[in-house]
Amino acid sequence: MAYVTNAGVPLWYDVCGDGPPLVLLHGRAGNAASWWRQVALFSRTHTVVTYDQRGFGRSPCEKDDFNAEMLAPDIAAILDAIGIERAALISQSMGGISAMRFARDYPGRTAGLIVGSSLAGITPKDIRGRLAERERANTVTLPDRAFAPGYSAREPLLYELYKQILAFNTCFSPAWRSRITGSAASFGAEDFDSYAVPTTFIVGAHDQFFPPSFVHEVAAWVPGATVIDIPDAGHSPYWETPDLFNEIVLNWLGANAVW
């Protein structure tokens, strides 16, 4: 466990295991601790890097320091501190924005990209309109919205653990999310003209943030990208169906990542 400072923000990170490097990027409702069921398995065969993104967990920052432009350089700063030149990225929700920005800005350092439960910052005007419409109609809030309907009753102990990990994020304000989304931060089709990073999207059939139809639509923008649908999960397959999620990730990395 260590810190590296990038653009004035201290970034907490941890490294364990040995083998081809993986970086795990959490979502808005999580932090590095969210990946407990992935780290235990992945570190048997890979070097696993987890970190609290700026503004989350043990990486506090001010509002003005939370912006889209710093998401990719933060990853690069951590990899540099560890001495890793090239890594595969596994992301969840908001982490998909950070991961896609890194893959776009540092393609030579990206062995592969897994975008979990995210549109990866690809939000053209029509999609933003449909997302806004969904938000106006939505009556479910975190943490329930992070799962398929009924999860809290099916898994009350894991649901409570998720709530506790979410509570670690004492610095981040949900209003900050607008600083990394919207028209100014969205990728356009031209951003993928020369894109060649092996990429797949993973989405749960019951995702209450980004339904599969949205994910399939944005994945079509990314050259060579595939989509893997998980039938019995919502917005958090890594948490809801970890055995299946982990198997999918390791199989995909084995067949597609280029370290």
Side-chain angles (χ1 to χ4, degrees):
M1 295 177 286
Y3 278 91
V4 64
T5 298
N6 186 45
V9 174
L11 302 169
W12 182 96
Y13 69 91
D14 192 23
V15 186
C16 61
D18 187 41
L22 308 177
V23 179
L24 310 186
L25 297 106
H26 63 80
R28 177 168 64 94
N31 46 65
S34 300
W35 296 108
W36 61 283
R37 293 176 93 167
Q38 282 68 52
V39 171
L41 177 64
F42 295 167
S43 60
R44 297 176 187 174
T45 53
H46 293 76
T47 298
V48 179
V49 180
T50 54
Y51 77 104
D52 292 337
Q53 296 195 70
R54 59 175 53 216
F56 292 85
R58 292 146 289 193
S59 301
C61 75
E62 301 296 328
K63 175 183 177 181
D64 289 345
D65 292 322
F66 186 80
N67 57 75
E69 289 72 24
M70 295 313 304
L71 299 179
D74 283 349
I75 301 171
I78 291 170
L79 293 181
D80 288 345
I82 301 168
I84 294 174
E85 176 57 32
R86 188 175 177 88
L89 309 182
I90 303 168
S91 62
Q92 161 66 18
S93 195
M94 186 201 78
I97 299 175
S98 305
M100 181 60 80
R101 284 186 165 270
F102 185 83
R104 282 282 306 120
D105 295 348
Y106 301 87
R109 303 191 70 174
T110 310
L113 171 60
I114 295 176
V115 179
S117 309
S118 176
L119 303 184
I122 306 171
T123 53
K125 184 177 180 180
D126 63 321
I127 288 182
R128 290 199 303 275
R130 281 180 279 153
L131 287 172
E133 184 177 346
R134 286 180 57 84
E135 287 298 314
R136 288 191 292 270
N138 174 61
T139 59
V140 182
T141 58
L142 285 171
D144 294 272
R145 199 177 181 195
F147 304 111
Y151 181 80
S152 60
R154 293 191 300 274
E155 297 284 359
L157 298 182
L158 290 175
Y159 179 80
E160 181 61 27
L161 177 59
Y162 186 94
K163 286 172 57 179
Q164 294 301 318
I165 291 176
L166 169 61
F168 295 165
N169 297 330
T170 57
C171 172
F172 180 77
S173 168
W176 293 7
R177 186 172 179 273
S178 62
R179 301 180 66 83
I180 61 171
T181 60
S183 57
S186 176
F187 288 117
E190 68 280 359
D191 290 306
F192 297 97
D193 286 344
S194 59
Y195 187 88
V197 174
T199 300
T200 195
F201 289 70
I202 295 177
V203 61
H206 307 290
D207 194 314
Q208 299 186 72
F209 280 95
F210 307 118
S213 60
F214 283 66
V215 174
H216 280 263
E217 186 174 342
V218 301
W221 286 46
V222 182
T226 58
V227 181
I228 301 172
D229 295 277
I230 296 183
D232 298 319
H235 187 62
S236 306
Y238 76 102
W239 186 285
E240 296 171 84
T241 55
D243 291 342
L244 177 58
F245 178 87
N246 293 348
E247 180 182 8
I248 287 171
V249 166
L250 291 177
N251 286 344
W252 187 88
L253 290 171
N256 297 278
V258 183
W259 277 284

